[in-house]
C-alpha cells in the first residue's frame, strides 16, 4: 500500500503555537499561488470546489506542521533525522522526517554531511582484498536566517526537463491543477500562460530534490522491515512463477506482475489498474487503465521503451482503489507525491504499487534503431525483447532467437536513466525483476504487510508457485550486486539555473 503520510490533529501543540504557525504557513508561496488561482482552477474544471478546498486544507496543514517542526528545531545542535523525530513528538515520526527535508528545500534547514572512511576485507574475483569504504552521515540543523530571508520557491519542472534529468514519468502533468504540463515519452512542455507557478509539480518530481534520506530514515524506523543499503526496505524476497497457463503465453519472466494484478482484480481488492500495452506501433508502450482480467493479459511483457504512465493517474480518479505498475522513477514519483501532496484524491486512491526492476530504458526511436542496427531486423518482426545474463536478446516471429552483448546496446539507452540510483523499485510495495532468478521465474521483493498478504493470497489461490530467493542461485546476492553498481554509477542531477 502506498505510504501516505498521516494527516494529523494539532492537539499536542498550544493554541498560540498553532496560530503562529498557521499565520506563517499561509505566507507560503505554494499555498498563495494555489489559492490565488482558485477562479482559474475551478473554471478549468479539473477539480470541484470541494476537491480544491481538500487540496488547499492539506497544503495548509502540512505547512503549519512544518512551521511547528521548524520552531522546535531552532536552537538545536545538528541532529540525525531519527533524533529529530524522537525529539518532536507532536507528530508521527514519518511526518517530522519528511518535514525536515522539505524545510531544507525551502531554505530553513541545513544538511550537514559527514564522511567517515574505514577499510574492509572484500572478495574481488576470488581474491581477498582490503578496500576503502566511505560512510555518509546526514545531520540537520535550523539555519540562522538573515532579516531579509525569503523562503525558497519551487520552479516549474521545466527546470528539470531543461537539465536533461526528466524521466518523463508524467506525474507532474497529473498533479498540475490547470493541466498546463504536457508530458510524452520524449518531451515535457509547460504552457507558460496557464502555469500558476505553484511548484506542486516540483514537489512530486522524482528528479527535483532527493528524498533518499527521508526514505532511509522512515524505512529504518519500521521494525518489521529488513533494510538493505542496496535495495531498500523489505519484508521478504522470493523467486516465483505463475501457474496461470494464459499468462505463461504472454509473460516476460515469471508472469508475477500480471498474476498479482489478476488476483487484485478477481478478489475485489482494486477497481482498476494502470499498466502499459502496445500502442498501434508495436513495442511503443501506451499507458492504459484496465478493469478486466482479459485486458490485463494484453499488458503483459516488457516494452523496453519508456512509458509516461503517470500522465493518466488523474484520469483513473473515478476508481476508488487502484494499483499502478511502473519502473523505479514512477514509483518514486508516487511515493514523493504521497509524502508531500496528500490532499489529492487520485493519489489517495492508489492502494498498491508494483515496481519493476530497471537498469535503464530506451526511447522508442532508439529501440527501433537498435533493432535495425544491431540485428538488421525490423521491430515488427519481434515477439519478445529481453535482457538476460549480460545480453540483449530478441525473439522473432520466425522462431529465431538473436542476442548481442548488453554493452553494445547501452549507447541507445536514455541519458536520463543515468540520474537514477534505483534498480529494484525501492519505493514500491512489491518489486519484480528477472535478475537473481532462473528463466521462467521472477525475483520478488515484498516491501509492505499489505503486499505480503496479496502475495501469500495468490499462492494460496494456486495462482503462483514461490520459494525464498535465498534458496536459489544467483538469488539476492546478484540483485544486491547489480543494485549497488547502479547506485555507484548514478550521476547527481544539476538543475538548470532559472531564466
Ligand atoms: C524498461 C524496463 C527495463 C527493465 N530492466 C530490467 C533489468 O535491468 N533487470 C531486471 O531484472 N528486470 C528489468 N525489467 C523488468 C523485467 O523486464 C520484467 O518486467 C519483470 O521481471 C516482471 O516480469 P513478469 O513476467 O512478472 O511481468 P509480466 O507479467 O510480463 O508483466 C509486465 C508488466 O510490466 C508492465 N510494463 C511493461 N513495459 C513497461 C514499461 N515500459 N513501463 C512501465 N511498465 C511496463 C506491463 O504493463 C505489465 O504489467 C525491466 C522492465 C522495463 C519495463
Amino acid at each position: 500500500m502506498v505510504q501516505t503520510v498521516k494527516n494529523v490533529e494539532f492537539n499536542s501543540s498550544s493554541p498560540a503555537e498553532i496560530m503562529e504557525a498557521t499565520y506563517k504557513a499561509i505566507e507560503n508561496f505554494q499555498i498563495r499561488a494555489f489559492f490565488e488561482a482558485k477562479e482559474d482552477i475551478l473554471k478549468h474544471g479539473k477539480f470541484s470546489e470541494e476537491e480544491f478546498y481538500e487540496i488547499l486544507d492539506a497544503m495548509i496543514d502540512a505547512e503549519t506542521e512544518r512551521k511547528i517542526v521548524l520552531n522546535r528545531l531552532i536552537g538545536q545542535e545538528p541532529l540525525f533525522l531519527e533524533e529529530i523525530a524522537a525529539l518532536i513528538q507532536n507528530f508521527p515520526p514519518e511526518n517530522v522526517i519528511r518535514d525536515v527535508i522539505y524545510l531544507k528545500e525551502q531554505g530553513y534547514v541545513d544538511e550537514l554531511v559527514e564522511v567517515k572512511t574505514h577499510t574492509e576485507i572484500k572478495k574481488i574475483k576470488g581474491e581477498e582484498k582490503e578496500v576503502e569504504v566511505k560512510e555518509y552521515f546526514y545531520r540537520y540543523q535550523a539555519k540562522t536566517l538573515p532579516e531579509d530571508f525569503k523562503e525558497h520557491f519551487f520552479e516549474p519542472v521545466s527546470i528539470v526537463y531543461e537539465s536533461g534529468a526528466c524521466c518523463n514519468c508524467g506525474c507532474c502533468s497529473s498533479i498540475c491543477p490547470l493541466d498546463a504540463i504536457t508530458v510524452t515519452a520524449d518531451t515535457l512542455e509547460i504552457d507558460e500562460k496557464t502555469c500558476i507557478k505553484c511548484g506542486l509539480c516540483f514537489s512530486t518530481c522524482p528528479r527535483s530534490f532527493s528524498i533518499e534520506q527521508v526514505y532511509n530514515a522512515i524505512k529504518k524506523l519500521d521494525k518489521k522491515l529488513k533494510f538493505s543499503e542496496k535495495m531498500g526496505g523489505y519484508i521478504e524476497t522470493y523467486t516465483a512463477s505463475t501457474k496461470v497457463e494464459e499468462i505463461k503465453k504472454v509473460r516476460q519472466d515469471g508472469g508475477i506482475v500480471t498474476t498479482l494484478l489478476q488476483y487484485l482484480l478477481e478478489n475485489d481488492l482494486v477497481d482498476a489498474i494502470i499498466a502499459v500495452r502496445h500502442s498501434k506501433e508495436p513495442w511503443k508502450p501506451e499507458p492504459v487503465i484496465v478493469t478486466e482480467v482479459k485486458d490485463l493479459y494484453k499488458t503483459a511483457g516488457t516494452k523496453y521503451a519508456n512509458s509516461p504512465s503517470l500522465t493518466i493517474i488523474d484520469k483513473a480518479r473515478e476508481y476508488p482503489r487502484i494499483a499502478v505498475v511502473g519502473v523505479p522513477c514512477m514509483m518514486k514519483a508516487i511515493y514523493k507525491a504521497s509524502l508531500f501532496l496528500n490532499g489529492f484524491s487520485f493519489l489517495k486512491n492508489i492502494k498498491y504499487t508494483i515496481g519493476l526492476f530497471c537498469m535503464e530504458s530506451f526511447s522508442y526511436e532508439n529501440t527501433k534503431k537498435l533493432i535495425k542496427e544491431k540485428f538488421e531486423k525490423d521491430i515488427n518482426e519481434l515477439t519478445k525483447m529481453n535482457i538476460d545474463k549480460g545480453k540483449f536478446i530478441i525473439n522473432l516471429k520466425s522462431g529465431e532467437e538473436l542476442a548481442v552483448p548488453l554493452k553494445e546496446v547501452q549507447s541507445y539507452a536514455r541519458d536520463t536513466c543515468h540520474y537514477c540510483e534505483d534498480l529494484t523499485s525501492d519505493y514500491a510495495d512489491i518489486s519484480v525483476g528477472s535478475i537473481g532468478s532462473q528463466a521462467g521465474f521472477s525475483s520478488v521483493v515484498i516491501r509492505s504487510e499489505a503486499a505480503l498478504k496479496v502475495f501469500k493470497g495468490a499462492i494460496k489461490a494456486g495462482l503462483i508457485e514461490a520459494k525464498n530467493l535465498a534458496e536459489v542461485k544467483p538469488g539476492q546476492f546478484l540483485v544486491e550486486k547489480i543494485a549497488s553498481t547502479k547506485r555507484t554509477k548514478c550521476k547527481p542531477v544539476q538543475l538548470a539555473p532559472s531564466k
Side-chain angles (χ1 to χ4, degrees), residues 238-242 254-256 437 440-444 455 464-467:
Y238 294 94
T239 181
S241 183
T242 187
I256 293 304
S437 285
F441 280 75
S442 296
S443 299
V444 185
F455 189 71
I464 281 174
E465 56 172 307
K467 281 194 237 178

Side-chain angles (χ1 to χ4, degrees), residues 31 69 77 83 125 138 143 155 160 168 200 299 314 325 345 394 447 469:
I31 292 170
V69 169
E77 59 191 40
E83 291 174 325
K125 292 183 181 157
Y138 295 83
K143 283 182 186 171
E155 300 270 357
V160 178
N168 303 81
L200 291 175
T299 66
D314 58 336
V325 182
S345 64
I394 59 167
R447 302 184 187 275
L469 192 53

Side-chain angles (χ1 to χ4, degrees), residues 101 197 380 385 441 464 478:
I101 296 300
K197 307 271 186 296
N380 291 306
M385 286 184 224
F441 280 75
I464 281 174
L478 192 64

Side-chain angles (χ1 to χ4, degrees), residues 190-414:
I190 300 194
D191 178 351
E192 290 294 337
K193 283 200 218 97
T194 312
C195 174
I196 56 169
K197 307 271 186 296
C198 63
L200 291 175
C201 52
F202 192 85
S203 299
T204 185
C205 172
R207 300 282 166 79
S208 57
F209 59 91
S210 171
I211 52 162
E212 195 184 339
Q213 299 314 317
V214 182
Y215 175 88
N216 289 350
I218 291 179
K219 296 294 168 183
K220 283 178 185 169
L221 278 179
D222 186 343
K223 297 299 167 219
K224 288 191 206 106
L225 293 182
K226 298 169 192 133
F227 188 84
S228 154
E229 296 294 339
K230 294 156 188 159
M231 50 173 250
Y234 65 97
I235 299 180
E236 297 289 354
T237 55
Y238 294 94
T239 181
S241 183
T242 187
K243 288 178 158 183
V244 183
E245 291 304 323
E246 283 300 298
I247 297 179
K248 284 186 187 170
K249 291 179 204 155
V250 288
R251 66 183 173 177
Q252 183 68 20
D253 297 308
I256 293 304
V257 175
T258 309
T259 312
L260 292 176
L261 295 173
Q262 173 170 340
Y263 179 81
L264 289 175
L265 277 180
E266 285 181 343
N267 289 278
D268 193 27
L269 294 169
V270 298
D271 309 294
I273 283 154
I274 293 183
V276 170
R277 69 176 174 209
H278 290 271
S279 65
K280 284 193 192 101
E281 292 176 270
W283 301 101
K284 184 171 188 176
E286 178 179 85
V288 63
I289 301 168
V290 175
T291 55
E292 290 185 43
V293 171
K294 67 173 173 35
D295 296 326
L296 199 55
Y297 294 169
K298 293 179 202 148
T299 66
T302 299
K303 296 98 196 155
Y304 282 97
N306 66 296
S307 156
S309 291
L310 304 187
T311 52
I312 62 168
I313 47 172
D314 58 336
K315 320 281 182 305
R317 60 209 282 180
E318 66 185 272
Y319 302 102
R321 300 163 307 164
I322 67 168
V324 182
V325 182
V327 285
C329 49
M330 295 176 199
M331 299 297 112
K332 191 191 273 184
I334 294 174
Y335 187 90
K336 204 165 177 180
S338 80
L339 279 178
F340 301 123
L341 309 176
N342 52 23
F344 287 76
S345 64
F346 55 83
L347 292 173
K348 286 188 220 159
N349 291 358
I350 301 175
K351 302 297 174 201
Y352 300 93
T353 51
I354 303 190
L356 306 170
F357 291 10
C358 178
M359 193 52 120
E360 56 210 356
S361 60
F362 305 83
S363 70
Y364 179 62
E365 285 312 312
N366 267 10
T367 315
K368 283 199 293 191
K369 216 163 131 197
L370 182 169
I371 303 298
K372 191 108 227 126
E373 292 178 357
K374 291 288 159 189
F375 297 97
E376 293 176 358
K377 299 288 172 196
D378 186 275
I379 201 159
N380 291 306
E381 294 177 60
L382 268 58
T383 56
K384 190 169 180 176
M385 286 184 224
N386 196 14
I387 295 176
D388 190 30
K389 299 192 179 73
K391 288 193 176 131
F392 190 93
I393 306 159
I394 59 167
N395 293 83
L396 300 166
K397 287 177 183 161
S398 62
E400 215 181 338
E401 183 172 286
L402 302 169
V404 293
L406 193 52
K407 274 197 289 233
E408 287 189 23
V409 305
Q410 258 151 5
S411 60
Y412 295 87
R414 297 193 308 153

Side-chain angles (χ1 to χ4, degrees), residues 17 20 24 66-75:
E17 188 176 35
E20 198 192 327
K24 284 185 183 158
R66 278 194 284 274
K67 293 294 191 274
I68 293 174
V69 169
L70 178 62
N71 200 26
R72 299 290 168 99
L73 264 188
I74 291 170

Side-chain angles (χ1 to χ4, degrees), residues 53-233:
Y53 280 112
E54 204 177 318
I55 297 167
L56 185 66
D57 276 357
M59 284 164 77
I60 296 174
D61 278 358
E63 192 59 31
T64 304
E65 183 185 290
R66 278 194 284 274
K67 293 294 191 274
I68 293 174
V69 169
L70 178 62
N71 200 26
R72 299 290 168 99
L73 264 188
I74 291 170
Q76 299 289 340
E77 59 191 40
L79 295 169
F80 292 114
L81 286 173
E82 298 80 348
E83 291 174 325
I84 299 174
L87 177 81
I88 305 172
Q89 296 211 338
N90 304 43
F91 310 110
E94 62 267 32
N95 285 34
V96 175
I97 288 166
R98 63 144 197 207
D99 291 343
V100 174
I101 296 300
Y102 214 76
L103 284 164
K104 170 173 98 70
E105 294 305 318
Q106 292 175 315
Y108 293 108
V109 164
D110 267 331
E111 182 178 68
L112 306 149
V113 188
E114 188 188 350
V115 188
K116 285 188 187 167
T117 311
H118 67 275
T119 53
E120 274 178 18
I121 305 293
K122 282 197 176 167
K123 231 181 191 167
I124 300 171
K125 292 183 181 157
E127 247 183 79
E128 288 200 339
K129 285 197 175 153
E130 199 176 77
V131 288
E132 207 173 72
V133 179
K134 281 190 178 147
E135 273 189 284
Y136 296 83
F137 298 88
Y138 295 83
R139 290 185 180 82
Y140 298 85
Q141 185 176 38
K143 283 182 186 171
T144 309
L145 301 172
E147 284 277 296
D148 59 350
F149 172 78
K150 284 216 169 53
E151 187 173 288
H152 298 175
F153 66 94
F154 296 165
E155 300 270 357
V157 281
S158 41
I159 189 177
V160 178
Y161 182 70
E162 281 155 21
S163 312
C166 170
C167 58
N168 303 81
C169 68
C171 197
C172 55
S173 78
S174 277
I175 294 294
C176 179
L178 281 152
D179 290 317
I181 310 175
T182 308
V183 178
T184 69
D186 308 298
T187 59
L188 179 147
E189 269 177 53
I190 300 194
D191 178 351
E192 290 294 337
K193 283 200 218 97
T194 312
C195 174
I196 56 169
K197 307 271 186 296
C198 63
L200 291 175
C201 52
F202 192 85
S203 299
T204 185
C205 172
R207 300 282 166 79
S208 57
F209 59 91
S210 171
I211 52 162
E212 195 184 339
Q213 299 314 317
V214 182
Y215 175 88
N216 289 350
I218 291 179
K219 296 294 168 183
K220 283 178 185 169
L221 278 179
D222 186 343
K223 297 299 167 219
K224 288 191 206 106
L225 293 182
K226 298 169 192 133
F227 188 84
S228 154
E229 296 294 339
K230 294 156 188 159
M231 50 173 250

